[in-house]
Amino acid sequence: MIRTFHAKINKKIMFFSLLPATVLAIYFFWVKLPLAALCCMVFLVFVVERLIHTYYVFTDEGCLFIHQGRFSKVSRHSLSDIEKVDIVRPSSLSFLKNKDTVMLTFCDGSIKFITPFPAEEFCRYFKRKQEDFLEKTGGL
């Protein structure tokens, strides 16, 4: 069975990237700088497209596909390559992290942060899927 988790849209990303770009685009149109305004508008299109079209797919072959918008490359990760999945709880110093951020730790030591919704269900499903995959393949 293929299971898809969509990304949670982070309000802080919207506030710190979309609001200033919108204000700058309006300002550049106001002062008659259309090329600068066009650049801000293109930036807005890319950010909104990436926010809306990010999702995470588990397949029956034991893979996790991470789609981060139409304009970026799809990353494929085998469930056996992922060592640990944890929900990151924000501390007082990391005010930009979302409460639903999941940290994927790979066998080679690399780390990837994703924001599936709901995060707890994503972690439970991942652990169940990883156990089934390792049981089916004999622990490869």
Side-chain angles (χ1 to χ4, degrees):
M1 180 173 102
I2 295 175
R3 177 77 192 263
T4 302
F5 289 91
H6 292 277
K8 184 173 185 174
I9 296 176
N10 193 349
K11 292 178 182 134
K12 293 171 188 143
I13 290 175
M14 289 176 52
F15 182 74
F16 287 117
S17 64
L18 296 181
L19 184 66
T22 305
V23 170
L24 281 174
I26 292 170
Y27 173 75
F28 287 140
F29 274 125
W30 187 267
V31 296
K32 298 180 178 150
L33 295 170
L35 290 177
L38 182 66
C39 290
C40 289
M41 298 295 281
V42 168
F43 173 76
L44 282 170
V45 167
F46 279 110
V47 169
V48 168
E49 194 277 331
R50 187 173 180 132
L51 287 173
I52 292 173
H53 292 106
T54 297
Y55 56 95
Y56 315 101
V57 179
F58 287 102
T59 62
D60 291 332
E61 293 83 29
C63 293
L64 171 64
F65 289 97
I66 300 175
H67 300 264
Q68 292 183 325
R70 296 179 189 159
F71 302 126
S72 63
K73 193 170 102 173
V74 176
S75 60
R76 177 188 178 275
H77 304 285
S78 176
L79 296 181
S80 60
D81 292 342
I82 301 173
E83 188 175 297
K84 191 166 69 168
V85 174
D86 289 325
I87 296 176
V88 177
R89 300 289 178 205
S91 65
S92 60
L93 296 177
S94 60
F95 66 94
L96 289 177
K97 284 195 176 141
N98 193 4
K99 289 184 234 175
D100 296 323
T101 302
V102 174
M103 180 176 68
L104 301 175
T105 306
F106 295 96
C107 293
D108 62 356
S110 62
I111 296 173
K112 185 167 187 83
F113 291 99
I114 59 174
T115 57
F117 182 76
E120 293 86 12
E121 177 65 26
F122 179 87
C123 291
R124 279 195 301 271
Y125 188 79
F126 174 82
K127 289 175 183 170
R128 186 174 55 221
K129 192 78 168 167
Q130 189 177 33
E131 288 170 1
D132 291 344
F133 177 70
L134 292 175
E135 198 175 276
K136 187 167 67 172
T137 60
L140 291 175

